[in-house]
Amino acid sequence: MITLELAIRFSSPSSIGGKRQLLRTLLMALSLSAIFTLISLLFQLQEERIDLVKSTTSFPVVATTDEIGKVEDLYPGVPLFNYKEESVLLSGIPFSVRYIDEDYKGIFDLIGGNADALVLPLYRRGAVGDGEVSMLSLSGRRIVGEKVEVSGYYVSPNRSFDQMYAFLPYESAPEYLDTKVAFQNDVDVRLLDAAGISYETWKEKENVLYSALLLEAFLMIFVLLFLFMVVFLSLRKGVRDFLYDKRRERLSLSVMGLPKWKINLSFSLPILFYDVCSMILSVIFSLFLVKGAYPFIGLYGEGRISWGFVFSFMLFFIILRILDIVFLLHRMPGEVYCNE
């Protein structure tokens, strides 16, 4: 009990450094809020980019099999749909053509016309042409080109998808093309492995993009962590001064017979108290910054904090501070517990 009473006493601004400690608390809170804001925005933007890819180009899991009923039995109630795909030349321009039906769940909007024949991206209309266009398969199974009627145009939220894909009715797909069964959500692929069904996840198909996103996140975290360490070390002097300035009080408590670990704890808790205050303030600042900055990024939606990262970083911060306090206490035992 006396340890807590001493900790509360030494936690007062006048005892721990007054305005300087409050300034250090504010600076640490601003430093942490900058890290939390930038990382939260980065993770949210990456998540939206991944969701965009998974809803247009590469679905979460795509199995390649003609035994559609077998896949449905393995995943009862899981939303899935079928399509076929091949690479072609449309008017000499390379495209991936997807043969789809009304159950296709990929996201795109039909702009004029219908999906009875070839549906082209609206952005490539001028390059490919109107009316009828020539289509030449690049699979090697269909050598002679053919004329295909253009029945409509589409747009999707993924501009890179619009540059590469066109659509045709499912019933017009060549028999030699494999049927692809796409899942709308991530599923346990071990069931497909056990059944001997080949599949491809979005990470495998988009391995270049996925690697780039991981590298982007790693570099951002590394840079921000480095900047945080610079701020942490620059403000470390205040902690060291506090422990050094209170050496007389430490000696007095030691003479009174208080155990060394209780003395150390009494002077460590005030430092940790202000660190907790810094973290609470940083979360409050981050909430306002994320919600305020998100509309200016050019995307819709509402900004949100990456709580997993925030709590992990807070734990790292507290552990780092505890280790630093232990190190400082260990470096000056004579000055603290012996007569001057």
Side-chain angles (χ1 to χ4, degrees), residues 51-60 78-83 98-109 156-157 161 167 180-185:
D51 290 341
L52 192 60
V53 169
K54 291 167 67 175
S55 63
T56 54
T57 309
S58 304
F59 304 108
V78 175
L80 47 84
F81 55 93
N82 311 323
Y83 70 94
R98 280 186 179 172
Y99 298 90
I100 64 173
D101 56 21
E102 63 277 2
D103 294 328
Y104 180 77
K105 297 300 188 297
I107 298 177
F108 71 94
D109 294 319
S156 79
F161 176 82
F167 297 101
K180 296 183 181 296
V181 182
F183 294 83
Q184 290 183 252
N185 304 309

Side-chain angles (χ1 to χ4, degrees), residues 90-91 93 95 111-113 119-131 133 150-154 159 162-163:
L90 295 176
S91 298
I93 301 175
F95 273 90
I111 305 296
V119 178
L120 292 173
L122 184 63
Y123 301 116
R124 305 297 295 272
R125 178 175 183 174
V128 179
D130 296 315
V133 300
V150 178
S151 63
Y153 298 90
Y154 79 91
R159 184 64 179 270
D162 293 0
Q163 299 291 330

Side-chain angles (χ1 to χ4, degrees), residues 21-196:
Q21 179 57 40
L22 295 177
L23 180 60
R24 285 193 292 267
T25 301
L26 181 60
L27 289 176
M28 186 59 70
L30 292 175
S31 175
L32 291 174
S33 64
I35 294 175
F36 296 159
T37 300
L38 291 176
I39 293 298
S40 296
L41 290 175
L42 172 66
F43 285 170
Q44 188 170 351
L45 291 175
Q46 287 192 345
E47 181 182 333
E48 292 187 1
R49 287 159 66 184
I50 291 173
D51 290 341
L52 192 60
V53 169
K54 291 167 67 175
S55 63
T56 54
T57 309
S58 304
F59 304 108
V61 179
V62 177
T64 302
T65 178
D66 291 326
E67 300 179 281
I68 303 173
K70 186 176 181 179
V71 178
E72 292 175 339
D73 293 338
L74 290 174
Y75 300 93
V78 175
L80 47 84
F81 55 93
N82 311 323
Y83 70 94
K84 294 184 177 183
E85 186 173 303
E86 70 172 333
S87 298
V88 302
L89 291 177
L90 295 176
S91 298
I93 301 175
F95 273 90
S96 290
V97 170
R98 280 186 179 172
Y99 298 90
I100 64 173
D101 56 21
E102 63 277 2
D103 294 328
Y104 180 77
K105 297 300 188 297
I107 298 177
F108 71 94
D109 294 319
L110 194 63
I111 305 296
N114 53 61
D116 294 339
L118 181 64
V119 178
L120 292 173
L122 184 63
Y123 301 116
R124 305 297 295 272
R125 178 175 183 174
V128 179
D130 296 315
E132 285 188 344
V133 300
S134 62
M135 185 176 77
L136 176 64
S137 175
L138 297 179
S139 63
R141 302 287 296 275
R142 187 171 55 182
I143 301 176
V144 180
E146 59 182 295
K147 291 291 185 178
V148 182
E149 180 185 356
V150 178
S151 63
Y153 298 90
Y154 79 91
V155 294
S156 79
N158 188 349
R159 184 64 179 270
S160 62
F161 176 82
D162 293 0
Q163 299 291 330
M164 302 167 53
Y165 284 85
F167 297 101
L168 277 170
Y170 188 82
E171 58 270 13
S172 65
E175 294 183 359
Y176 60 79
L177 291 179
D178 295 325
T179 302
K180 296 183 181 296
V181 182
F183 294 83
Q184 290 183 252
N185 304 309
D186 293 305
V187 295
D188 186 359
V189 296
R190 291 177 294 181
L191 297 177
L192 295 174
D193 286 327

Side-chain angles (χ1 to χ4, degrees), residues 2-17 21-22 24-25 238-239 242-243 246 250 253 261-278 318 321 325 329:
I2 188 173
T3 302
L4 183 60
E5 293 177 356
L6 289 171
I8 295 175
R9 172 189 169 189
F10 292 125
S11 296
S12 64
S14 59
S15 176
I16 202 169
Q21 179 57 40
L22 295 177
R24 285 193 292 267
T25 301
V239 176
F242 170 71
L243 295 176
K246 300 300 179 182
R250 290 169 167 281
L253 294 173
W261 71 270
K262 287 189 176 182
I263 298 174
N264 290 338
L265 185 61
S266 300
F267 286 86
S268 300
L269 288 178
I271 299 172
L272 296 176
F273 169 75
Y274 281 97
D275 285 339
V276 171
C277 291
S278 298
I318 289 296
R321 178 64 84 191
I325 292 174
L329 291 173

